[in-house]
Amino acid sequence: MDQLVDDMDNSSDDHDHENTVVGSLVSKDVSLRQWLDNANRVVDALECLHIFMQVVKIVNSAHSQGVVLHNNRPSCFVMSSFNHVSFIESASCSDSGSDSYQDVTSSNISHNKVSEIDWVESNGKQTEEKEDRFPMKKILQMETNWYTSPEEAAAYGSSSCASDVYRLGILLFELYYPCSSPEEKNSNMSVVKHRMLPPQFHLKWPKEAFFSMRLLHPDPASRPKIDEVLQSEFLNGLREKLDEREAAIELEEKIVEQEMLLDFLVTLQQRKQEAADYLQKDFSILSSDLQQVTKLQASVRRKGDSNSMNISKPDDFASSGSRKRIRRTPKENQESSRLTKNFKKLESAYFLTRSRAVNSGWMNPFMEGLSKYMSSSKLKVKADLKLGDLLNSSSLVCSLSFDRDGEFFATAGVNKKIKVFEYESILNENRDICFPIVEIPTRSKISSICWNRYIKSQCASSNFEGVVQVWDVTQGQVAAEMREHQRRAWSVDFSADPKLLASGSDDGSVKLWNINQGASIGTIKTKANVCCVQFPCESSNFLAFGSADHRVYYHDLRNLSMPLYTLVGHKRTVSYVKFIDSKTIVSSSTDNTLKLWDLSNTASQVIDRPIQSFSGHVNVKNFVGLSVSGGYIATGSETNEVFIYHKGFPMPAMSYKFNTTDPISGNEVEDNEQFISSVCWRTQSSTLVAANSMGNIKVLEMV
C-alpha cells in the first residue's frame, strides 16, 4: 500500500532485565555427554560407580515394565548438580525387539521433558562459542554408532533388552576412561565395541574392565540380564559406600534447599520493606496534597461567601423538607465508572505529575488534565462525507488541514486531487455525498497538505514525486513549485513567517524554502528517510522532524549543522511530530505509541526520557494521522478508529470507530482491513475531522 511506513532499520529485540530473586534457583542440569567430555574431568571411582548404578536402575525400571530403552546413551541422560541422573526423551526409537518389549516413551519412563534435539541445538551453540575441543554435533553423530550393539548393526538384527545391557558396557568404559582428544576418543570407542579395551584400562581398572567385557559379549544370550547386573558383586561390593554417598548427597541437597528458602524469604522481606517505604512516602505526599487542596477549597468558598454568591446551604434543604440522600445523575454515574475503570492509570499520572512539579506546581496541570479527561466521554458524528470516486478506486486520504480561521478544510491523497470544503455548509447539508467548493487536479499523489497560517487563500502540498507546490486556492492554480527532492516528499509545513516553508523527503533531507524564490534557502541532511516536519506555532527559527531512524530532531534554523536536541525513545519509524506548545512536542511512531517530550530545563542534547507515553491505539505500518489542540491529542489507528488522548494521561480519553456501509443492505459493518489515515482538529474547538483509507470523512465532536 502507498501508505505503508517502511522501517529502515531492524531494531534490536528488547531484553527485560528483571531482578533474580535467588540465583541458585536456576537449574544447573548438564547432559551426561557433556560431563563425560569435560576435558578437566578427573575420574573419581565412587562417583563413576554412583552414576553407573543410577543408569542401571533406570534401565531396570524400563525392562520391568516390558520396555526396551533403545537410547540409553549419554546424550539421553542429564545430571543435576548433585549427580542425580535422569533419562530424557529421545527423538529416535527403533522397532520392538523379539522379546515383545515396547518402545520407551516419555509417558512411561521420562521425567524430564527435554527434547534431545533442543538440547543438541542449544549446547551445540555453546560449544561453538567456547571452541570446545569436543565438537558436540560430531560427537553426537558418532555416539549413535558407538552405542549400537552388534545385533542392531546386523541387517537382520533388532533391538532387545540385551542391546540395552550392551550399551551399559560402553558407558562403563567411558565413565572410567576419559580421553584427551576427539581423535583418541573415536579411536578407542571404535575398538571397544569389539571388546578390545586399552591395556591401560585393564591395568588401572581391572574389575571395571572385566565387567565391561561381560556386558559387551557379542552373543546377546551370553550377556547378563539387567537384574543380574543390578545384583552383581561389582555393584554390591561397594553398596555400603554408595549408600553413604547417597545419604551425604541428600543431606547436602537439604542444606542447599534450606539456603534457597532462606535467601528467598530474606529477598522477599527486603522487597516488601522497600514497597512499604515507597507506600509510606506516597501516603505522606498524598496526605500533604489533601491538606493543601482542602485549604484551597475552603479559601475559594470563603471568597464565594464574601462575594454573596448564591450557594445553597444545608439549612436551605432542611427548611424545604428536602433532606434526602443525594442521587447521582446518569452523567455522574458514567464519570464515576470511567474514574474507577482507569483509576490505576490516573494514579500513575498523578504521582508522575507530582514527581516533576516543585511545591504546589503539580496541582493546576493535573487538575486541568483530570477536568478535561472527565468532561467528555465520547465522540459524536456531526457530519459524514464519502469521497469515494467512481472513476478512481484509490480514495485514501493522506492529509487533512483547516485554514487559519477554521472556515475551510482541505483534503488530499492518492486520488491526485486537492478538495476544499466549507465547514459550515458541510454541517448544514443532510447528504451523504458533499461537493467541494474548490477541486484542484494534480499530476501526482499528494502525501501532505497544509494551509498558510497568515495568507488565507494559500496552501502547500508535497507529493510522491518529491515536488513541493504552493497553491492559490481561490484560483486553483500553482503559485510556486520546488523540485529539489530526489525522492518522495512526505511532509510540508508553513512557519510563523508566511514566506517560510519546510519539507521532508525519503531522500533523507529537510528543505527550507522561501515561497518567493525557486531554490531552497537551506538543507538539513540526515542518514535516514524524513517522514514529517513541523514548526512551532509562534516561531520560524526552530523546526522538529521525525525520521525512519526512530528519532526526533529539533533544530535551531540559525545553525543547520547539528540538532539542538535529539529525542530518543521510539522503537520504530517516527511518522509525525506536533508542537503542543513551544517547548513541548508529541511524536507518533509505528511502534504503537505516542510520546510527549519536554524541551525546557534540559542541559543534554540527547533527551531519552519522554515525560509521557501514550498507548491504546494500533499503529505498526501506516501513516494514521496526528493532531493537537488545547492539550488534546488525536491520532488514528489501524483498527479503523480515532483515538483522543489528553497530554496529562497515558490512556485514551475516548475513541470512535469508523464502520463501512454495506452496499446491499445499507447497514454499517466492521471492516478490519481499513485504517484511519488522517486527523485534524478545527482551530480552538472540540471538533475534528478524520478520514480513513476508504476515503470516508467524518466531522467528530467531543461530548
Side-chain angles (χ1 to χ4, degrees):
M1 298 179 71
D2 290 317
Q3 196 72 352
L4 292 182
V5 180
D6 295 325
D7 231 357
M8 306 307 296
D9 296 325
N10 292 323
S11 58
S12 302
D13 293 334
D14 294 331
H15 300 284
D16 296 328
H17 299 289
E18 298 179 353
N19 294 329
T20 304
V21 178
V22 182
S24 58
L25 288 175
V26 179
S27 174
K28 294 183 179 179
D29 288 358
V30 64
S31 163
L32 182 55
R33 166 54 56 204
Q34 286 181 299
W35 184 85
L36 288 170
D37 291 341
N38 183 357
N40 299 319
R41 182 170 74 91
V42 177
V43 176
D44 179 329
L46 195 59
E47 180 183 43
C48 292
L49 187 62
H50 181 229
I51 293 170
F52 184 72
M53 171 71 86
Q54 292 180 79
V55 175
V56 170
K57 287 181 178 179
I58 291 172
V59 175
N60 180 64
S61 175
H63 288 191
S64 66
Q65 299 176 46
V67 175
V68 178
L69 206 56
H70 294 303
N71 289 315
N72 50 318
R73 299 178 281 112
S75 61
C76 297
F77 293 94
V78 290
M79 286 175 51
S80 71
S81 56
F82 296 101
N83 283 6
H84 280 310
V85 178
S86 301
F87 183 73
I88 61 173
E89 183 178 357
S90 171
S92 62
C93 61
S94 53
D95 296 332
S96 298
S98 57
D99 296 329
S100 298
Y101 279 84
Q102 300 173 1
D103 287 340
V104 65
T105 63
S106 58
S107 61
N108 56 30
I109 193 67
S110 174
H111 299 289
N112 294 320
K113 304 295 183 182
V114 181
S115 168
E116 183 182 5
I117 293 176
D118 293 341
W119 179 87
V120 170
E121 291 177 350
S122 62
N123 287 281
K125 292 177 182 177
Q126 295 175 5
T127 305
E128 291 173 4
E129 292 173 359
K130 297 180 180 178
E131 297 183 354
D132 199 333
R133 293 189 300 169
F134 297 95
M136 184 58 63
K137 190 172 183 179
K138 187 176 180 181
I139 289 290
L140 289 174
Q141 291 172 346
M142 292 188 294
E143 183 190 72
T144 303
N145 181 52
W146 297 337
Y147 280 77
T148 299
S149 65
E151 62 272 16
E152 290 172 319
Y156 59 88
S158 60
S159 182
S160 65
C161 290
S163 304
D164 286 346
V165 173
Y166 176 89
R167 281 183 277 275
L168 291 176
I170 301 291
L171 175 62
L172 185 59
F173 171 76
E174 270 206 273
L175 283 167
Y176 284 88
Y177 198 80
C179 299
S180 59
S181 70
E183 292 76 19
E184 181 188 358
K185 176 179 279 292
N186 191 36
S187 175
N188 287 328
M189 297 297 289
S190 298
V191 296
V192 164
K193 62 188 307 179
H194 301 297
R195 302 179 82 196
M196 298 173 60
L197 304 180
Q200 298 92 329
F201 186 59
H202 282 284
L203 291 173
K204 190 171 184 179
W205 308 104
K207 291 183 180 180
E208 289 74 11
F210 176 75
F211 200 68
S212 291
M213 295 290 283
R214 285 189 62 197
L215 300 176
L216 293 172
H217 200 286
D219 181 9
S222 300
R223 297 172 201 152
K225 304 294 184 183
I226 190 63
D227 55 343
E228 295 173 354
V229 174
L230 198 60
Q231 299 300 323
S232 66
E233 177 64 24
F234 175 73
L235 289 181
N236 286 283
L238 297 174
R239 172 72 71 177
E240 186 176 338
K241 290 186 177 180
L242 285 174
D243 291 343
E244 290 176 359
R245 179 182 178 86
E246 191 70 33
I249 289 175
E250 289 180 3
L251 180 60
E252 187 178 355
E253 279 186 304
K254 287 183 179 179
I255 293 173
V256 170
E257 288 171 356
Q258 289 173 355
E259 288 178 349
M260 286 194 295
L261 177 59
L262 182 62
D263 289 344
F264 169 75
L265 293 175
V266 169
T267 304
L268 182 61
Q269 183 186 46
Q270 291 173 348
R271 292 193 173 191
K272 291 299 182 182
Q273 184 60 55
E274 290 173 1
D277 293 342
Y278 278 117
L279 187 61
Q280 183 59 47
K281 181 182 176 182
D282 289 348
F283 188 79
S284 299
I285 292 172
L286 189 58
S287 298
S288 174
D289 289 348
L290 275 170
Q291 292 178 2
Q292 186 179 354
V293 173
T294 302
K295 288 180 181 179
L296 182 63
Q297 188 180 46
S299 175
V300 171
R301 285 181 174 176
R302 283 196 299 270
K303 288 182 180 179
D305 291 341
S306 64
N307 292 331
S308 301
M309 293 180 67
N310 186 21
I311 301 177
S312 299
K313 295 182 174 57
D315 292 343
D316 297 331
F317 289 101
S319 61
S320 62
S322 301
R323 188 180 293 275
K324 297 180 181 179
R325 181 172 62 87
I326 299 175
R327 296 184 178 180
R328 288 182 171 176
T329 65
K331 183 177 181 180
E332 288 174 331
N333 284 328
Q334 185 181 22
E335 290 177 352
S336 177
S337 175
R338 290 185 71 211
L339 194 67
T340 303
K341 181 180 178 181
N342 295 291
F343 195 83
K344 290 297 293 182
K345 292 180 179 179
L346 289 170
E347 176 187 343
S348 299
Y350 159 71
F351 282 111
L352 180 64
T353 306
R354 190 67 174 77
S355 66
R356 293 199 304 262
V358 179
N359 298 326
S360 61
W362 69 272
M363 192 182 302
N364 287 335
F366 185 78
M367 187 165 56
E368 176 194 358
L370 184 62
S371 175
K372 286 192 173 182
Y373 178 81
M374 300 301 295
S375 62
S376 301
S377 61
K378 64 180 181 179
L379 290 166
K380 176 184 177 182
V381 178
K382 297 186 69 177
D384 196 345
L385 292 79
K386 292 180 176 61
L387 296 188
D389 192 336
L390 296 177
L391 301 178
N392 191 342
S393 60
S394 298
S395 302
L396 186 146
V397 177
C398 298
S399 186
L400 296 164
S401 181
F402 271 99
D403 75 330
R404 68 181 188 190
D405 303 318
E407 187 178 355
F408 303 100
F409 67 88
T411 72
V414 299
N415 62 0
K416 301 181 183 181
K417 295 177 183 178
I418 297 174
K419 298 181 180 182
V420 179
F421 295 88
E422 186 179 15
Y423 176 75
E424 291 297 337
S425 65
I426 292 296
L427 298 185
N428 295 331
E429 292 185 9
N430 294 320
R431 299 195 302 267
D432 286 341
I433 299 178
C434 299
F435 295 96
I437 59 172
V438 175
E439 183 172 308
I440 306 172
T442 64
R443 294 190 301 269
S444 177
K445 299 174 182 178
I446 303 295
S447 57
S448 176
I449 190 169
C450 72
W451 289 82
N452 194 310
R453 303 179 191 185
Y454 294 93
I455 304 175
K456 188 175 179 66
S457 63
Q458 194 174 80
C459 71
S461 68
S462 59
N463 69 28
F464 281 37
E465 294 178 358
V467 180
V468 177
Q469 294 171 303
V470 179
W471 302 88
D472 183 333
V473 177
T474 56
Q475 299 296 322
Q477 296 178 350
V478 176
E481 187 170 274
M482 289 73 89
R483 290 179 166 270
E484 292 186 19
H485 284 301
Q486 302 301 309
R487 296 178 64 189
R488 171 169 45 189
W490 278 117
S491 179
V492 65
D493 191 43
F494 272 109
S495 75
D497 178 350
K499 301 186 298 298
L500 182 61
L501 188 69
S503 59
S505 167
D506 270 344
D507 62 13
S509 72
V510 174
K511 295 283 185 181
L512 302 175
W513 313 92
N514 184 318
I515 61 175
N516 294 328
Q517 301 177 21
S520 62
I521 59 175
T523 300
I524 302 171
K525 192 65 181 174
T526 69
K527 295 181 180 180
N529 308 46
V530 177
C531 299
C532 51
V533 294
Q534 186 73 25
F535 284 102
C537 291
E538 299 175 354
S539 174
S540 58
N541 292 326
F542 300 97
L543 178 77
F545 63 88
S547 172
D549 66 2
H550 315 169
R551 301 183 175 193
V552 177
Y553 298 93
Y554 179 80
H555 274 262
D556 185 335
L557 299 183
R558 293 162 293 191
N559 178 15
L560 299 180
S561 60
M562 62 183 299
L564 198 59
Y565 301 114
T566 301
L567 314 182
V568 181
H570 281 296
K571 298 174 183 176
R572 298 190 67 186
T573 295
V574 177
S575 45
Y576 297 95
V577 290
K578 298 290 181 182
F579 282 88
I580 288 183
D581 55 51
S582 61
K583 291 296 182 181
T584 309
I585 291 177
V586 62
S587 57
S588 173
S589 168
T590 51
D591 62 6
N592 286 322
T593 68
L594 311 178
K595 294 189 184 296
L596 192 67
W597 310 88
D598 184 6
L599 306 183
S600 61
N601 301 321
T602 179
S604 173
Q605 289 185 324
V606 177
I607 303 174
D608 57 4
R609 290 190 178 183
I611 59 176
Q612 192 70 270
S613 186
F614 309 92
S615 61
H617 62 290
V618 176
N619 183 202
V620 294
K621 62 182 180 179
N622 297 298
F623 284 97
V624 295
L626 182 70
S627 186
V628 297
S629 177
Y632 286 108
I633 304 166
T635 188
S637 173
E638 286 161 10
T639 56
N640 213 16
E641 293 174 279
V642 177
F643 281 81
I644 308 296
Y645 297 90
H646 186 269
K647 65 179 182 179
F649 303 128
M651 63 286 187
M654 64 200 81
S655 64
Y656 178 84
K657 187 174 183 66
F658 277 40
N659 287 323
T660 303
T661 302
D662 187 287
I664 299 176
S665 65
N667 298 325
E668 287 194 339
V669 295
E670 289 191 14
D671 188 347
N672 294 326
E673 293 184 0
Q674 305 307 320
F675 60 92
I676 301 300
S677 55
S678 186
V679 293
C680 184
W681 287 104
R682 186 172 180 238
T683 308
Q684 300 299 317
S685 75
S686 59
T687 304
L688 75 153
V689 177
N692 77 348
S693 50
M694 283 287 289
N696 295 333
I697 298 176
K698 294 182 187 290
V699 179
L700 303 171
E701 182 181 26
M702 294 191 301
V703 294

